[in-house]
Amino acid sequence: MKVLITGGAGFIGSHVVRLFVNKYPNYTIHNLDNLTYAGNLANLTDIEKKPNYKFVKGDIVDAAFISELFTKENYNAVVHLAAESHVDRSITNPLEFVMTNVIGTVNLLNAAKELYKKDATSFKKFYHVSTDEVYGALGDTGMFTEETSYDPHSPYSASKASSDHFVRAYHDTYGLPIVISNCSNNYGPNHFPEKLIPLCINNIKNNKPLPIYGKGENVRDWLFVEDHATAIDTIFHKAKLGSTYNIGGHNEWTNIDVIRLLCRIMDKKLNRETGANEKLITFVKDRAGHDLRYAIDASKLKNDLGWVPSVTFEQGLDLTVDWYLHNEEWLSNVTSGNYTHYYEEQYAKR
Ligand code: NAD
Ligand code: DAU
């Protein structure tokens, strides 16, 4: 199997690449990433020299490049994670999200379709990694199932919903073998510190305000990133072609409660007085179009394929805080933007 993983230098992609490279030494794994602000090869230093791994720098929006790459490499499967992923950025620059998330996905689908047309036994599947945000927002009750109608509200979720529709359309129209998963909020090591949890870990560490949008009443369903990676592995290998799976941690928290828990964990770890970090909480202007509540019903994944998360939120958050406290260089490189030089130094001369 020669598998192309896109967006493998990002947060979730790097955990998926690591899992596949280590678990399947007989697979060749190519990691295609354009190294935007969110891509960082320092996420993959432990596996970068493995014989079954190769990094490919490139832009999924560049149709000619993608077509040439697929023709040259003749991939057997694609796991597609590359995307613009931050809702707040999508509010200030929606077009960037249309380009990467919609056009980029269609470019990959076209290239995969050509390989499938050439040899339907050789090209096995196109796995599209998507989000629960496509389903819109819930009230106080209910959960998203695979049958919930799409109702995206942010430019980010609208672009991901559009990409999901294109993936299904390529299955229905051209017979392309596809699988889609829609996952809830991830957290864990290597999470870019513009997102709620790593932003607050960094700010607590530096005694800076913790910006909570609105009243902090919005609810998210948090999943440890390594559990998302094992779910992707399970779905990639076991799911019926053409199917969709929801992935979630059955772990709903209001934002304010997440941050209070984080404050308590970090009071202890930083030897601060109990309650010291909570004083940093600052309520700020709400996000435009802020979805009230997400909750994933992941019972199809559990019942069909036997996947369940491996850690509780408290365990995962504890591991995550430790990772950030022990990886100060990673954090300061990311917050200062220095990490872009890592690519130039390590790869450009090869
Ligand atoms: P991320 O922003 O951390 O990483 C995205 C990666 O894609 C980066 O390495 C970036 O360099 C790369 N990329 C962006 N544009 C590219 C382009 N034009 N060409 C090639 N590479 C490009 O994102 P993430 O949080 O790891 O999310 C990965 C995927 O999972 C996304 O598709 C996202 O929608 C989905 N998802 C994320 C979450 C979450 O909580 N973070 C939850 C559910 C689904
Ligand atoms: O649900 C899955 C989605 O989760 C993924 O598809 C997205 O790629 C990922 O970024 C994430 O989206 P969210 O918008 O839920 O994540 P974020 O960390 O930006 O925000 C989490 C919650 O915290 C949300 O309700 C907004 C709030 N928030 C966020 C930030 C950055 C704050 O209150 N303050 C902040 O500073």
Side-chain angles (χ1 to χ4, degrees):
M1 274 277 248
K2 195 189 249 190
V3 183
L4 178 71
I5 300 181
T6 72
F11 167 46
I12 301 167
S14 60
H15 289 273
V16 175
V17 166
R18 175 176 300 102
L19 180 67
F20 273 57
V21 165
N22 287 332
K23 190 169 170 186
Y24 304 107
N26 55 331
Y27 289 7
T28 300
I29 304 296
H30 285 190
N31 168 15
L32 169 65
D33 198 295
N34 203 25
L35 300 182
T36 68
Y37 80 95
N40 183 358
L41 288 173
N43 293 345
L44 291 166
T45 43
D46 55 325
I47 57 111
E48 68 185 5
K49 294 199 170 69
K50 295 260 176 161
N52 63 336
Y53 170 75
K54 185 179 163 193
F55 174 68
V56 181
K57 185 172 186 309
D59 187 352
I60 59 168
V61 179
D62 183 343
F65 163 76
I66 293 296
S67 164
E68 270 170 43
L69 179 72
F70 274 59
T71 306
K72 179 170 151 231
E73 300 292 352
N74 202 20
Y75 294 116
N76 303 110
V78 175
V79 183
H80 174 37
L81 295 107
E84 286 294 333
S85 71
H86 189 39
V87 173
D88 292 330
R89 286 181 190 254
S90 82
I91 295 168
T92 46
N93 192 0
L95 197 55
E96 188 75 28
F97 283 67
V98 176
M99 295 308 292
T100 301
N101 298 357
V102 186
I103 308 290
T105 300
V106 175
N107 285 339
L108 292 167
L109 286 167
N110 280 335
K113 173 166 73 80
E114 287 312 304
L115 291 190
Y116 182 67
K117 228 167 62 183
K118 205 172 71 187
D119 185 349
T121 55
S122 164
F123 187 80
K124 302 209 177 308
K125 74 192 72 167
F126 187 101
Y127 181 161
H128 179 58
V129 175
S130 192
T131 171
D132 61 357
E133 299 203 11
V134 299
Y135 298 124
L138 293 162
D140 291 339
T141 57
M143 290 181 130
F144 299 135
T145 73
E146 289 80 0
E147 271 71 51
T148 304
S149 298
Y150 277 29
D151 182 22
H153 297 140
S154 72
Y156 163 69
S157 52
S159 70
K160 290 296 291 188
S162 173
S163 66
D164 292 12
H165 289 318
F166 271 104
V167 174
R168 285 198 190 93
Y170 273 60
H171 175 67
D172 296 345
T173 309
Y174 309 109
L176 190 72
I178 63 105
V179 182
I180 300 178
S181 59
N182 296 84
C183 188
S184 63
N185 282 65
N186 285 214
Y187 69 96
N190 310 97
H191 205 181
F192 195 83
E194 65 184 350
K195 308 272 174 87
L196 180 70
I197 290 182
L199 175 78
C200 289
I201 292 174
N202 193 29
N203 285 9
I204 291 173
K205 189 169 151 266
N206 295 307
N207 263 310
K208 284 164 68 178
L210 309 177
I212 306 297
Y213 297 162
K215 294 181 183 158
E217 287 168 343
N218 302 70
V219 174
R220 296 291 182 268
D221 176 351
W222 293 96
L223 179 70
F224 190 55
V225 64
E226 290 180 15
D227 281 331
H228 189 185
T230 63
I232 288 174
D233 176 26
T234 304
I235 293 167
F236 179 81
H237 287 96
K238 295 187 180 167
K240 200 169 134 244
L241 293 173
S243 64
T244 295
Y245 281 90
N246 281 351
I247 310 173
H250 211 59
N251 180 41
E252 289 180 54
W253 289 73
T254 60
N255 292 338
I256 188 68
D257 284 345
V258 170
I259 298 311
R260 286 197 181 119
L261 173 62
L262 190 61
C263 286
R264 288 197 295 278
I265 291 174
M266 291 189 71
D267 281 342
K268 285 202 193 115
K269 292 201 188 276
L270 297 172
N271 293 319
R272 292 183 185 166
E273 218 175 276
T274 305
N277 291 327
E278 271 201 31
K279 292 186 186 134
L280 298 169
I281 291 176
T282 311
F283 294 96
V284 298
K285 190 169 175 281
D286 209 352
R287 172 184 279 174
H290 198 174
D291 286 334
L292 179 66
R293 175 171 165 258
Y294 302 145
I296 277 277
D297 176 352
S299 54
K300 181 181 172 195
L301 180 55
K302 185 180 171 192
N303 298 337
D304 282 10
L305 308 183
W307 176 90
V308 284
S310 71
V311 294
T312 65
F313 192 42
E314 286 78 359
Q315 288 167 331
L317 211 48
D318 200 75
L319 286 168
T320 304
V321 171
D322 281 346
W323 187 86
Y324 280 92
L325 295 179
H326 292 128
N327 286 275
E328 292 209 351
E329 201 186 356
W330 183 94
L331 194 55
S332 66
N333 278 342
V334 169
T335 46
S336 68
N338 278 345
Y339 61 101
T340 48
H341 304 309
Y342 183 83
Y343 168 74
E344 282 147 27
E345 283 163 20
Q346 305 297 316
Y347 284 84
K349 293 188 206 109
R350 289 186 188 178

